């Protein structure tokens, strides 16, 4: 069976959930080989984790020399790995997490190896046939790569991770990186403060606040915490400086597709919908009964979020106790 | 400085967007406009030019668009905003092209624009509002063998150095590179200007060239739907969400009803 290269999504060696989703998908297409760009001394730990989700091989690419640069070196490394693997027995597909970085790596790789690219898949089945959600979630599209090795970037929550024991053979791969790939340099990095809440794009529940919060996100955060949810925001809330841009949901922020999305003090503009419309269940709290967000909801409360949310939080805490 | 800004003509997001029988995006039968996200690219290109100062004639901002006949609207809007000249690549064979082919056409057009004077900077939007793949800038950089500095929320240019700030997954980064580069900018870079009356009047005198594939040395069979490296199999309109129950809060009844709903769906 041909190998399916899966780029591991991790932060400093801590493997993120989308990795397991990608490995689960990879098993439908061939033999999963996980690709770890990271510190060599974290490789064994990472290998033991991905092995449990079916990774037959783990290619370790030490990124000490690469990580100071933007995507180009990673694309070069993947090209060389794909060529080597193709020569050894074939590559059925290359799966990459659908972050902005992932998409750019995929874009450069597609040109390098002359292969078609599909981005933001919300499902991948045998073929591989991908499903995407387009036009602000108003259309579902199935597609196929028709040239070269299918390169697919996959969104979080595209599959339920399923455990399966893989051989987990660790292999070091050392790519040759050209000087031309080392031209866009990362000069400074400022890590964002951890919130202790789930990652916005991966969370099962997202609670968002908009202009209607008036800048007070406390009711949003407390309500979110009572449900174990991630916190999001509309652009109006971000533009007002109430929340960092990383929390923005929508066309120019994150696209989320959780089990439950709760929009509070958010009117429901098309650009906001683009980022949350495919959520399974949608709830809104808004004091205007004509707010367009109510057209989407499974359940809505017309009321002031500053009184509804604290009372609901109390109610939830009470019921959970 | 010689700047090219890539602008796309897209179906209006607030209108009815749909697919054609061959599963390509209908770009002719619906209202279109300059992609909102590319207005930010035009704005940054103009600001960079303005900040450098010096002889205006030494600096050129060329708006570049690959698209159908109607796409000339997007080109014209860029000129109205203040671009100095525009290039519209128009050729029936391009219809249905995927990002891979579009980036080829853009790359060849950039090379042609740069024949007289080398290009220093190519500015793109963060994503097209229809395809929203955010891949064309990276593909363009790959094809032109240039550094890519993408998704900027703040852009600074000093001499031949470009520095940007950008929000990454878990951090904020400062990225630097030496021109020539491909730059893409987000909507965080600041509001795009509206065309002024003067700008609109000046447009008539600005050069607007149309290139065909032959002008760019591209064969018709290198682009278009039939050779796309990925193919859409099927498109389905998502069933509209049916509006659910909406209750009005009265003295705390909303909170209880909300908790009841969440419990009924097993979220509590
Ligand atoms: C190119 C472009 C990209 C964009 N990208 C995004 C994006 O990624 N994400 C995004 O969100 N937007 C985006 N926007 C902006 C979008 O068009 C809207 O302006 C924005 O979503 C509005 O945010 P809002 O709903 O919080 O504010 P508003 O539209 O002002 O709505 C506030 C709502 O709060 C309600 N309210 C007020 N007070 C209370 C209260 N006490 N209790 C309960 N309800 C209350 C009001 O009834 C109203 O419905 C984009 C716009 C453009 C042009
Ligand atoms: N047909 C096109 N003509 C001109 N520029 C384009 C075209 N397609 C994409 N671009 C540029 O590439 C950016 C990203 O597009 P995309 O990768 O399609 O999301 C856009 O914001 C534009 O700047």
């Amino acid at each position: 069976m041909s190998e399916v290269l899966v780029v591991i999504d991790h932060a400093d060696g801590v493997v993120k959930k989308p990795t397991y989703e990608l490995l689960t998908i990879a098993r439908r297409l061939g033999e999963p080989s996980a690709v770890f760009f990271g510190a060599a001394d974290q490789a064994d730990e990472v290998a033991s984790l991905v092995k449990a989700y079916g990774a037959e091989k783990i290619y370790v690419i030490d990124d000490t020399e690469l990580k100071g640069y933007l995507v180009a070196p990673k694309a070069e490394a993947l090209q060389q790995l794909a060529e080597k693997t193709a020569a050894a027995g074939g590559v059925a597909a290359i799966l990459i997490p659908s972050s902005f970085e992932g998409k750019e790596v995929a874009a450069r790789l597609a040109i390098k190896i002359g292969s078609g690219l599909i981005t933001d898949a919300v499902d991948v089945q045998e073929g591989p046939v991908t499903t995407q959600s387009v036009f602000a979630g108003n259309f579902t599209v199935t597609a196929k790569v028709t040239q070269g090795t299918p390169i697919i970037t996959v969104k979080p929550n595209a599959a339920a991770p399923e455990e399966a024991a893989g051989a987990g053979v660790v292999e070091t791969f050392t790519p040759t990186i050209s000087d031309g790939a080392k031209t866009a340099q990362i000069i400074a990095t400022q890590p964002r403060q951890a919130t202790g809440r789930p990652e916005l794009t991966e969370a099962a529940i997202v609670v968002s606040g908009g202009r209607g919060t008036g800048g007070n996100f406390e009711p949003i955060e407390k309500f979110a915490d009572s449900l174990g949810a991630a916190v999001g925001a509309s652009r109006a809330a971000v533009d007002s400086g109430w929340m960092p841009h990383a929390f923005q949901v929508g066309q120019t922020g994150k696209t989320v597709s959780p089990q439950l999305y709760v929009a509070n003090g958010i009117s429901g503009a098309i650009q906001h919908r683009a980022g949350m419309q495919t959520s399974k269940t949608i709830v809104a709290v808004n004091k205007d009964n004509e707010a367009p967000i109510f057209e989407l909801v499974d359940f809505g409360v017309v009321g002031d979020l500053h009184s509804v949310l604290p009372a609901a939080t109390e109610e939830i805490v009470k019921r959970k106790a | 400085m010689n700047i090219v800004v890539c602008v796309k003509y897209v179906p209006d997001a607030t209108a009815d967007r749909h697919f054609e029988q061959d599963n390509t995006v209908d770009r002719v039968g619906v209202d279109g406009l300059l992609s909102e996200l590319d207005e930010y690219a035009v704005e940054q290109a103009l600001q960079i030019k303005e900040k450098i100062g010096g002889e205006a004639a030494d600096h050129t901002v060329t708006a570049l668009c690959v698209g159908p006949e109607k796409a000339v609207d997007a080109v014209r809007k860029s000129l109205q905003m203040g671009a100095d000249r525009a290039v519209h690549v128009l050729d029936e064979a391009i219809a249905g092209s995927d990002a891979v082919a579009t980036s080829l056409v853009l790359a060849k057009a950039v090379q042609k624009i740069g024949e007289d004077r080398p290009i220093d900077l190519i500015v793109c939007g963060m994503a097209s509002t229809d395809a929203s793949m955010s891949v064309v800038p990276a593909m363009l950089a790959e094809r032109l063998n240039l550094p890519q500095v993408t998704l900027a929320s703040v852009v600074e240019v000093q001499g031949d150095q470009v520095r940007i700030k950008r929000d990454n997954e878990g951090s904020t980064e400062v990225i630097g590179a030496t021109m020539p580069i491909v730059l893409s900018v987000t909507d965080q870079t600041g509001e795009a200007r509206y065309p002024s009356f003067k700008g609109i009047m000046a447009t008539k005198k600005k050069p607007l060239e149309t290139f065909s594939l032959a002008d760019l040395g591209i064969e018709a069979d290198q682009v278009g739907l039939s050779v796309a490296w990925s193919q859409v199999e099927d498109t389905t309109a998502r069933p509209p969400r049916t509006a659910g129950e909406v209750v009005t809060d009265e003295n705390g009844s909303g909170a209880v009803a909300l908790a009841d709903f969440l419990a009924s769906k097993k979220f509590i």
Side-chain angles (χ1 to χ4, degrees):
Chain A
M1 222 184 341
S2 300
E3 290 181 47
V4 179
L5 300 179
V6 173
V7 175
I8 296 177
D9 186 5
H10 72 99
D12 214 11
V14 180
V15 177
K16 296 193 186 175
K17 188 165 146 257
T19 304
Y20 305 129
E21 298 166 0
L22 261 62
L23 286 167
T24 303
I25 289 171
R27 296 208 300 271
R28 300 173 190 157
L29 314 176
E31 235 169 59
S33 295
V35 183
F36 178 59
F37 285 99
D41 60 358
Q42 293 168 341
D44 286 339
E45 165 81 19
V46 168
S48 70
L49 293 170
V50 296
K51 188 180 156 179
Y53 287 85
E56 300 294 340
K57 268 190 207 157
I58 295 103
Y59 294 109
V60 177
I61 302 176
D62 186 351
D63 73 347
T64 338
E65 295 290 310
L66 325 178
K67 68 178 177 200
Y69 305 95
L70 237 49
V71 298
K74 281 192 179 169
E76 267 187 12
L78 282 176
Q79 173 189 17
Q80 291 163 25
L81 180 61
E83 279 165 1
K84 184 194 130 166
T85 317
V91 187
I94 302 172
L95 306 181
I96 301 176
S98 223
S99 58
F100 277 117
E101 189 198 66
K103 290 205 275 189
E104 291 185 349
V105 169
R108 297 191 81 124
L109 181 63
I111 304 291
K112 280 181 192 296
I113 66 173
S115 289
L117 163 69
I118 289 173
T119 55
D120 294 322
V122 294
D123 189 19
V124 185
Q125 294 295 338
E126 229 174 292
V129 175
T130 62
T131 305
Q132 293 159 289
S133 173
V134 304
F135 289 165
N138 287 331
F139 278 83
T140 304
V141 166
T142 54
K144 240 179 160 167
V145 166
T146 47
Q147 156 111 6
T149 305
I151 303 172
I152 302 167
T153 77
V154 184
K155 301 212 85 157
N157 294 325
E162 283 163 29
E163 290 193 41
V169 180
V170 176
E171 198 177 298
T172 304
F173 182 74
T174 312
T176 320
I177 305 302
S178 69
D179 288 339
K182 295 187 188 167
T183 44
Q185 212 167 349
I186 300 170
I187 296 167
T189 306
Q190 189 167 32
R192 229 184 321 283
Q193 245 177 346
T195 59
R197 297 194 180 91
E199 188 90 29
L200 187 53
T201 49
E202 298 166 20
I205 305 178
V206 174
V207 175
S208 289
R211 203 193 305 275
T213 60
N216 178 9
F217 261 69
E218 201 182 299
I220 308 288
E221 289 171 346
K222 290 208 161 134
F223 183 68
D225 289 343
S226 75
L227 293 167
V231 169
S234 72
R235 188 171 98 167
V238 170
D239 284 352
S240 305
W242 303 336
M243 288 297 273
H245 182 246
F247 292 85
Q248 183 176 315
V249 172
Q251 186 193 2
T252 55
K254 303 263 159 62
T255 311
V256 300
S257 199
Q259 297 298 319
L260 172 65
Y261 187 87
V262 189
N264 304 288
I266 292 176
S267 60
I270 173 102
Q271 295 91 347
H272 188 77
R273 289 179 182 209
M276 47 67 74
Q277 193 153 231
T278 58
S279 305
K280 302 281 177 313
T281 300
I282 298 177
V283 169
V285 178
N286 195 303
K287 68 178 184 191
D288 174 9
N289 68 346
E290 285 179 4
I293 191 81
F294 283 128
E295 292 162 16
L296 305 183
V297 299
D298 297 287
F299 187 78
V301 178
V302 179
D304 188 334
L305 71 90
H306 296 288
S307 55
V308 173
L309 290 186
T313 307
E314 210 173 295
E315 190 68 29
I316 291 166
V317 172
K318 200 168 74 194
R319 292 189 194 193
K320 276 193 167 174
Chain B
M1 177 133 42
N2 202 4
I3 305 174
V4 172
V5 48
C6 298
V7 295
K8 189 174 183 184
Y9 175 80
V10 297
D12 187 349
T14 56
D16 170 34
R17 296 184 289 184
H18 54 262
F19 290 90
E20 301 250 42
Q21 292 246 288
D22 63 356
N23 287 331
T24 60
V25 176
D26 184 356
R27 293 180 194 283
V28 179
V30 298
D31 286 338
L33 41 72
L34 165 61
S35 173
E36 255 174 333
L37 295 175
D38 292 345
E39 289 187 15
Y40 296 93
V42 176
E43 177 63 37
Q44 287 306 306
L46 295 173
Q47 282 191 21
I48 290 166
K49 175 183 155 172
E50 287 157 6
K51 274 185 207 140
I52 308 168
E55 283 294 315
D58 290 345
H59 310 298
T60 312
V61 174
T62 306
L64 167 61
C65 178
V66 176
E69 221 164 324
K70 276 181 158 185
V72 74
D73 287 354
V75 174
R76 218 169 264 134
K77 172 99 184 261
S78 315
L79 291 173
Q80 291 173 349
M81 287 175 72
D84 302 295
R85 53 180 287 228
V87 170
H88 179 191
V89 186
L90 172 65
D91 199 307
E92 266 179 25
I94 296 172
S97 289
D98 58 358
V100 172
T102 302
S103 69
L104 172 71
V105 179
L106 284 169
K108 293 280 188 190
V110 167
Q111 281 166 340
K112 189 169 164 74
I113 294 167
E115 269 171 9
D116 305 331
R117 190 150 63 99
I119 309 284
D120 302 292
L121 184 61
I122 300 159
V123 191
C124 292
M126 67 181 287
S128 47
T129 55
D130 53 349
S132 69
M133 290 178 76
S134 297
V135 294
V136 167
M139 287 181 172
L140 203 48
E142 179 67 35
R143 290 191 182 277
L144 296 168
N145 199 13
L146 293 178
Q148 70 169 85
V149 175
T150 45
L151 301 166
S153 56
V154 179
V155 182
E156 275 168 39
V157 174
Q158 217 157 56
D160 64 353
Q161 297 298 307
V162 178
R163 272 196 184 203
I164 65 148
K165 205 185 249 182
R166 75 167 191 174
D167 285 322
N168 210 337
E169 302 300 303
S171 58
T172 305
E173 291 173 337
V174 178
I175 318 275
T178 308
M179 286 195 266
I181 63 160
V182 175
L183 168 73
S184 83
V185 304
T186 72
D187 60 334
Q188 298 283 303
T189 46
E191 281 304 300
R193 67 193 66 185
Y194 289 103
S196 66
F197 181 68
K198 212 174 117 213
I200 293 170
M201 295 314 287
T203 298
K204 298 193 185 79
K205 289 190 233 92
K206 290 178 179 172
L208 194 171
E209 284 172 86
T210 307
F211 293 167
S212 66
L213 286 180
D215 293 332
L216 300 177
I218 300 172
E219 302 292 330
D221 63 4
Q222 286 178 276
V223 297
L225 182 62
S226 56
V227 298
W229 289 0
S230 55
Q231 214 100 59
V232 170
E233 307 236 295
D234 194 23
T235 63
T236 342
R238 205 185 155 80
R241 290 193 89 104
T242 41
E245 188 192 355
V246 177
V247 302
T248 301
D249 177 51
E250 265 162 63
N251 302 321
S253 66
V256 176
L258 176 53
D260 285 344
F261 175 79
L262 295 177
S264 76
K265 292 279 182 185
K266 308 256 182 305
F267 289 116
I268 328 179

